[in-house]
Amino acid sequence: SKEVINDTVKEIIENVKEEKDVTNVSKDVVDAIFEEYVKGNDVDLVTEVVIKPIEEKDVNKDTLTLIEKTANGSTVVQYLDLSVLVNVVVNDEVKATGEVTELTKPLTFTIALPKEIATVKDGYTRTYYVIREHDGKTDKLPVTVNKDGSLSFTTDKFSTYALTYVDSKLGGTPNTSDN
């Protein structure tokens, strides 16, 4: 995962130096990289991946509406903010701070299964999804349940996410009695 982030950071720096349009990082970061490049300074980008649970009341209303529409009857359990924070550093001094909004390749994230939804009612099976809202568009991403009970999903975009699930009745045996 560090490799994917490093590749993205290198690409951002090169694109800024070549004066290409860079849209996958905050404008403050782009401006700081360019300013330091023009001055002839070496620039380092220091990153940190942050996965933070957020309360529903703190989620943007438009984002909530989009997620609820995409959930389409599935139960929303938890909202998450996934971010890649980036600092533009020159000579050990932070010149700008921002966020990378999209990577060059997807990363797999693993989150704990909230205890309150770990138990599935007898006769049912549970399927988990993560709904990602990014730039006004939602995507329903598949989730893998790992042997340790954690959940994993893959993404290359950073925004607001919602962990959801759908319970389905197991295909039981048909009643074949002749009464």
Side-chain angles (χ1 to χ4, degrees), residues 94-124:
V94 175
K95 297 290 186 173
T97 299
E99 290 185 34
V100 175
T101 57
E102 194 168 338
L103 297 174
T104 54
K105 295 178 189 155
L107 287 180
T108 299
F109 289 89
T110 300
I111 58 174
L113 175 64
K115 288 183 176 102
E116 65 271 15
I117 63 164
T119 305
V120 182
K121 195 165 120 181
D122 283 346
Y124 286 82

